[in-house]
Amino acid sequence: MSIFAGMKIIENCPLYSRNTFGMDVKADCLAEWSSPDELRTLLGTVERPYLLVGGGSNLLFTADFKGTILHSTIDSIDIVRETQDSVLVRVGAGVVWDDFVAYSVLNGWWGVENLSAIPGEVGASAVQNIGAYGVEAKDVIETVQTICLDNGKSRDFSNAECRYAYRQSIFKNELKGQYAVTYVQFRLSRVAQPRLGYGALEAQVNKLGGPTLANIRQAVIEIREGKLPDPKVLGNAGSFFMNPVIPAAQFDELKSRYPDIPSYPAQDGMIKVPAGWLIEQAGWKGRSLGPAAVYDKQALVLLNKGGATGADVIRLADTIIADVRQKFGIILSTEVNYI
């Protein structure tokens, strides 16, 4: 291992503790930086290809990584501008996402409380457009600050330029792997704006005494803990599949055959159907395929029961996708990235 100022370079780096699936793989090199200038220095030092990684909570490694993993350790949270009604805060890409949520709640800033207990780091939140309980990161992101990996130049992306959609951004598509996020600027509200459109969340918040920031955060944490396994105990990456969005006509046909099918409105008159429900109806909840399994409390979650490889998990995922397609005519897409 080599350390230069805030930079750390580890050759032949084990990744077991750096991915929440607990895959026992290695990278040729892992390089960490604590400022944009340090990243620029690294880009002239370490070998390609590069893989940008946050907390490793949305990755499935299928083999050793032949290249350099780049990880930001920028951990600052700074107020850029504030008014009586709102605050613009700049957060380092290496800040643990839930630490940022906790900090926001503590300071009375509304906007990210529904996203409590989501694993990962702030930089990845802007790439993945993380979301839960009716809120997405795009709802509060104002600017994403980046460094181009080809030339080391800074570039700021406005919310519109990020081309956000459900679990999508320009960084996952047209510009995939081309820019490293250094900071994300969030516009949060000082005025109470509870988002309780999901019945389970509203009921839990009411049990705790009503829609305060602290109660909403606590309710989300309690709900998530009740249905998501601790990756330190069972390797997983949280929700493995995205909820499919289908045309209203297709949903109406499914509704005629499955009256209990749950749904939520999506953009442009489309309908979002919970992938977990589809997987459960296809008979996969709680079942295993070798050392990989579907969690018995939440069918969206695939598990490494111990000793599973990336290929084992992909075999399970592909089998589920095939069965859901055969039963419902819906093709599930993975939220987890295969590396």
Side-chain angles (χ1 to χ4, degrees):
M1 180 176 71
S2 303
I3 298 178
F4 305 97
M7 296 183 292
K8 181 167 67 174
I9 300 174
I10 307 173
E11 296 183 355
N12 198 29
C13 180
L15 300 177
Y16 179 82
S17 63
R18 291 178 178 267
N19 74 99
T20 60
F21 251 119
M23 293 298 156
D24 190 11
V25 294
K26 295 181 179 181
D28 287 349
C29 179
L30 180 139
E32 296 186 320
W33 77 94
S34 60
S35 72
D37 284 342
E38 287 181 1
L39 173 58
R40 292 186 182 96
T41 299
L42 281 173
L43 295 178
T45 304
V46 295
E47 294 186 3
R48 291 176 178 269
Y50 302 139
L51 174 64
L52 296 159
V53 171
S57 58
N58 207 47
L59 305 174
L60 176 62
F61 284 99
T62 61
D64 292 344
F65 183 70
K66 302 300 181 181
T68 300
I69 288 181
L70 297 172
H71 177 238
S72 169
T73 60
I74 302 174
D75 61 0
S76 57
I77 301 178
D78 301 298
I79 294 176
V80 176
R81 192 163 53 252
E82 56 186 327
T83 68
Q84 183 177 346
D85 296 333
S86 69
V87 57
L88 181 64
V89 57
R90 187 177 81 155
V91 187
V95 172
V96 172
W97 172 261
D98 196 54
D99 289 351
F100 168 55
V101 177
Y103 186 85
S104 299
V105 169
L106 185 65
N107 281 276
W109 302 338
W110 292 78
V112 292
E113 60 280 353
N114 287 37
L115 306 180
S116 293
I118 293 179
E121 297 177 353
V122 165
S125 75
V127 174
Q128 296 293 128
N129 186 25
I130 59 173
Y133 303 106
V135 174
E136 293 179 303
K138 71 174 180 60
D139 300 334
V140 289
I141 288 175
E142 184 153 305
T143 307
V144 179
Q145 298 180 293
T146 72
I147 297 291
C148 177
L149 298 183
D150 284 334
N151 56 32
K153 292 183 179 180
S154 299
R155 178 176 174 184
D156 292 355
F157 290 82
S158 68
N159 184 294
E161 289 173 326
C162 291
R163 299 184 189 176
Y164 284 125
Y166 173 60
R167 302 295 182 273
Q168 296 294 330
S169 73
I170 196 171
F171 307 113
K172 288 186 69 176
N173 295 293
E174 300 97 315
L175 300 182
K176 184 175 182 178
Q178 297 181 39
Y179 288 84
V181 177
T182 52
Y183 298 92
V184 184
Q185 293 190 354
F186 297 91
R187 173 76 62 182
L188 303 178
S189 176
R190 294 182 181 277
V191 180
Q193 296 181 346
R195 300 280 294 273
L196 303 176
Y198 281 68
L201 177 57
E202 184 174 19
Q204 190 69 15
V205 167
N206 288 336
K207 284 182 183 179
L208 294 171
T212 65
L213 272 171
N215 286 348
I216 293 172
R217 172 168 166 76
Q218 184 61 33
V220 170
I221 291 172
E222 290 177 0
I223 293 171
R224 290 182 67 89
E225 287 181 345
K227 66 179 183 179
L228 296 175
D230 184 347
K232 295 176 183 177
V233 179
L234 285 169
N236 72 91
S239 297
F240 196 92
F241 300 98
M242 292 188 282
N243 293 322
V245 178
I246 62 176
Q250 183 181 5
F251 175 77
D252 290 341
E253 191 275 330
L254 286 172
K255 183 78 170 175
S256 69
R257 290 191 287 137
Y258 305 98
D260 296 333
I261 185 172
S263 65
Y264 304 97
Q267 291 181 333
D268 301 323
M270 303 283 278
I271 304 295
K272 183 186 296 183
V273 179
W277 185 89
L278 298 171
I279 295 166
E280 184 172 352
Q281 296 303 307
W284 276 101
K285 188 175 183 180
R287 286 178 58 190
S288 299
L289 193 61
V294 181
Y295 191 42
D296 59 3
K297 295 182 180 179
Q298 170 53 267
L300 269 181
V301 178
L302 303 191
L303 304 174
N304 173 4
K305 296 193 300 180
T309 65
D312 291 326
V313 178
I314 290 174
R315 182 162 65 102
L316 174 59
D318 287 348
T319 305
I320 291 170
I321 290 170
D323 284 359
V324 168
R325 182 179 186 178
Q326 182 179 27
K327 186 175 181 68
F328 297 103
I330 293 175
I331 302 175
L332 295 179
S333 298
T334 60
E335 186 169 338
V336 171
N337 298 307
Y338 296 171
I339 308 297

